[in-house]
Amino acid sequence: MYQPKSPKAEEFISHEEILEILEYAKNNKSNRELIEQLISKATLCKGLTHREAAVLLECDQPDLTERIFQLAKEIKQRFYGNRIVMFAPLYLSNHCVNGCVYCPYHAKNKTIGRRKLTQEEIRKEVIALQDMGHKRLALEAGEHPTLNPIEYILESIRTIYSIKHKNGAIRRVNVNIAATTVENYRRLKEAGIGTYILFQETYHKANYESLHPTGPKSNYAYHTEAMDRAMEGGIDDVGLGVLFGLNTYRYDFVGLLMHAEHLEARFGVGPHTISVPRICPADDINTNDFPDAISDDTFSKIVAVIRISVPYTGMIISTRESQESRRRVLELGVSQISGGSRTSVGGYAEEDRSEENSAQFDVSDTRTLDEIVGWLLDLGYLPSFCTACYREGRTGDRFMSLVKSGQIANCCAPNALMTLKEYLEDYASDDIRRKGIALIRQEAEQIPNPKIKEITLRRLKEIEEGKRDFRF
Ligand code: SF4
Ligand code: SF4
């Protein structure tokens, strides 16, 4: 039985309910009347249930599919404007005791170079990231109880926050580490993390178990209930995600939205973000082994339907995706992207090492951060290095109520302008600085609230004069 408030994985992700919904969605894929009703409901920007979203994902009517895409673009514009938040992953260690068959860090892979950064090496990585202009990191580490214990992660977070190099600073550290205990989540919260991110990989229990044959991650319930423990430990911003292509995308799409509904039902706050990675090639991993890998068109449709189903949840894609694929999903719903990423341990400070095979996945979009900022500006987006919310205590339900009332836009837009201005002053190439300054001038004029506009213009001037780190 599906029970969204249950703390048990097999009740809030109900296999029987998902199968029933997939059948229902298939039977209604051409039901124009129902699909039109659901599109109208989504227009209200209050979201859709997993059952409703499944029907839209299945829709086989080209004109209605086009309306879904159009609505996703409108909702994206309404909640996120033209802002795109930038971040970078930082790989601390690729030692791992798990046996995930899709990941080159799996314990049995003997060909990959293994490495764990020392605190001194982390300092070098962070300085390299700061010199690129990054302010927001996502920490990544394999699961290893003795080599990567929680104490190592906590120490690394302290190191990262302590480094101030020139005008650089990492202001928000999101963490993507293995499922752990309530007590460890509490310690992560105390260390000042932003979002705790954990990908479910797949919600299909039987497939999950065969994809994770060994190691602690093979425990489906422990992994699936991790976000509950994180919330019990006081982390109220959590990020969900599945690795599309491991299992049938329809099943995981419904599971993902069920998980979001569960968090909302049990804790009163849905996921802060949803990431949408797809299976991709890597050392010892051949995508031909994954017949459920999805096409670009399906990927776009997934992003669009997620956007209209959970309008308040940020969406993230990484450099696994190509430039063209990223361009397409940016307009449909993605609000955060990584840039200039290295997916190997130590890859930022020692560029040569990035050629070694210690990477978790092959990067498709290999452009530098500056090139990506320039590309976003050319497409009419406003790259943002904002990290304000959690530093101002706007997390969990406090954050969500501001988003739902639309008031967050009063913070996001000026913060985007001020952090972009910092980037342009400190890190951009001349050409990109010129383009960025023109956009800032244009956007600042459009700030609707006269008081906020006046403060923003003043602070932009102060940034030019050397001051840093303003925020609303
Ligand atoms: Fe380890 Fe994570 Fe890779 Fe699994 S996906 S092998 S847990 S690093
Ligand atoms: Fe994100 Fe908050 Fe900054 Fe808006 S103000 S971009 S929601 S951190």
Side-chain angles (χ1 to χ4, degrees):
M1 264 294 280
Y2 173 52
Q3 294 186 47
K5 283 196 173 171
S6 167
K8 288 194 187 148
E10 286 181 58
E11 292 176 350
F12 67 77
I13 304 293
S14 163
H15 178 63
E16 290 70 29
E17 164 108 353
I18 296 180
L19 293 183
E20 191 270 309
I21 284 175
L22 294 183
E23 196 55 31
Y24 168 78
K26 198 164 96 193
N27 293 337
N28 284 289
K29 64 181 179 190
S30 316
N31 183 341
R32 295 185 64 89
E33 195 185 336
L34 174 65
I35 293 166
E36 287 189 6
Q37 272 173 22
L38 295 176
I39 294 174
S40 299
K41 183 179 173 194
T43 310
L44 303 174
C45 295
K46 303 265 186 256
L48 295 175
T49 66
H50 58 271
R51 175 179 286 265
E52 294 166 339
V55 174
L56 294 190
L57 188 66
E58 209 49 24
C59 167
D60 69 354
Q61 305 288 296
D63 59 325
L64 295 180
T65 301
E66 193 41 49
R67 277 178 56 194
I68 292 168
F69 281 122
Q70 196 48 42
L71 180 59
K73 288 180 196 169
E74 285 165 26
I75 290 180
K76 165 84 197 300
Q77 184 60 30
R78 178 162 162 190
F79 283 90
Y80 304 89
N82 59 349
R83 301 176 295 278
I84 303 291
V85 171
M86 310 300 302
F87 77 98
L90 172 57
Y91 284 77
L92 296 181
S93 165
N94 60 3
H95 292 280
C96 192
V97 293
N98 287 308
C100 315
V101 302
Y102 49 85
C103 172
Y105 294 173
H106 66 80
K108 288 198 183 130
N109 185 359
K110 300 293 176 219
T111 61
I112 200 159
R114 300 278 175 182
R115 188 169 181 207
K116 169 189 171 181
L117 297 180
T118 63
Q119 297 305 308
E120 191 43 42
E121 286 168 333
I122 292 172
R123 278 184 60 79
K124 289 190 185 139
E125 287 288 277
V126 170
I127 287 171
L129 282 156
Q130 289 183 359
D131 281 344
M132 290 161 78
H134 278 296
K135 303 285 188 254
R136 177 186 286 245
L137 298 186
L139 283 196
E140 315 273 343
E143 179 166 15
H144 200 294
T146 49
L147 287 170
N148 313 334
I150 190 73
E151 289 73 20
Y152 169 67
I153 305 292
L154 294 169
E155 188 186 4
S156 305
I157 294 169
R158 278 194 296 275
T159 300
I160 293 166
Y161 277 135
S162 73
I163 298 164
K164 303 281 180 282
H165 169 70
K166 299 183 183 162
N167 281 336
I170 298 303
R171 299 173 180 159
R172 177 174 179 134
V173 178
N174 297 334
V175 173
N176 181 355
I177 60 162
T180 184
T181 60
V182 174
E183 181 49 30
N184 284 345
Y185 286 125
R186 190 165 290 125
R187 294 169 79 186
L188 285 170
K189 173 75 183 173
E190 284 163 9
I193 69 162
T195 311
Y196 172 65
I197 298 163
L198 182 69
F199 296 162
Q200 176 62 32
E201 321 297 7
T202 175
Y203 286 94
H204 189 288
K205 182 166 184 279
N207 286 358
Y208 180 96
E209 286 167 353
S210 60
L211 290 160
H212 304 94
T214 53
K217 193 168 169 182
S218 59
N219 185 334
Y220 174 84
Y222 190 75
H223 189 81
T224 312
E225 292 159 12
M227 294 312 190
D228 293 59
R229 292 194 300 282
M231 288 208 164
E232 285 161 18
I235 298 176
D236 48 11
D237 285 345
V238 298
L240 303 182
V242 291
L243 185 50
F244 281 107
L246 287 182
N247 181 52
T248 58
Y249 71 86
R250 296 176 175 91
Y251 191 104
D252 281 333
F253 172 86
V254 177
L256 186 62
L257 292 181
M258 269 184 168
H259 200 174
E261 282 170 25
H262 160 68
L263 295 175
E264 179 94 41
R266 185 155 183 235
F267 299 99
V269 50
H272 192 70
T273 53
I274 289 181
S275 300
V276 285
R278 282 194 278 183
I279 190 88
C280 70
D283 178 72
D284 202 34
I285 306 297
N286 184 345
T287 42
N288 294 334
D289 297 339
F290 296 92
D292 290 319
I294 57 175
S295 68
D296 287 354
D297 285 348
T298 301
F299 186 58
S300 299
K301 199 168 177 193
I302 289 171
V303 169
V305 184
I306 292 177
R307 179 68 298 138
I308 68 176
S309 303
V310 283
Y312 316 121
T313 301
M315 279 175 85
I316 303 178
I317 49 163
S318 73
T319 50
R320 277 176 204 239
E321 293 297 329
S322 66
Q323 173 174 338
E324 179 50 26
S325 163
R326 275 150 69 97
R327 189 196 59 73
R328 192 149 178 223
V329 293
L330 277 178
E331 60 174 10
L332 292 172
V334 166
S335 53
Q336 264 190 54
I337 63 170
S338 48
S341 301
R342 301 267 189 272
T343 60
S344 53
V345 182
Y348 292 106
E350 307 156 36
E351 291 217 11
D352 290 348
R353 288 197 76 107
S354 64
E355 302 300 318
E356 288 183 12
N357 70 339
S358 74
Q360 191 185 28
F361 57 85
D362 293 352
V363 170
S364 286
D365 189 342
T366 54
R367 292 171 294 169
T368 63
L369 180 61
D370 204 45
E371 285 166 341
I372 289 182
V373 167
W375 171 71
L376 289 171
L377 290 169
D378 287 342
L379 291 174
Y381 290 109
L382 177 57
S384 170
F385 293 85
C386 178
T387 55
C389 277
Y390 105 100
R391 299 169 78 214
E392 289 292 315
R394 294 192 295 259
T395 61
D397 50 3
R398 224 190 127 214
F399 171 79
M400 279 298 168
S401 63
L402 281 171
V403 177
K404 288 181 184 176
S405 67
Q407 288 179 52
I408 195 73
N410 288 330
C411 302
C412 297
N415 285 339
L417 295 178
M418 294 187 300
T419 55
L420 176 60
K421 178 75 172 170
E422 288 185 343
Y423 175 82
L424 298 175
E425 290 292 320
D426 291 338
Y427 308 105
S429 56
D430 290 346
D431 181 39
I432 288 167
R433 186 176 302 119
R434 266 194 304 277
K435 282 184 195 166
I437 286 171
L439 185 70
I440 289 174
R441 203 170 290 136
Q442 190 183 313
E443 295 276 329
E445 280 311 311
Q446 288 167 24
I447 297 175
N449 179 315
K451 182 87 193 143
I452 293 181
K453 181 174 171 182
E454 184 213 311
I455 298 172
T456 307
L457 289 171
R458 191 170 66 236
R459 288 175 172 175
L460 287 168
K461 187 94 190 83
E462 287 176 319
I463 292 169
E464 228 166 272
E465 290 159 5
K467 294 213 177 120
R468 295 291 176 268
D469 202 13
F470 295 107
R471 60 182 179 265
F472 284 98

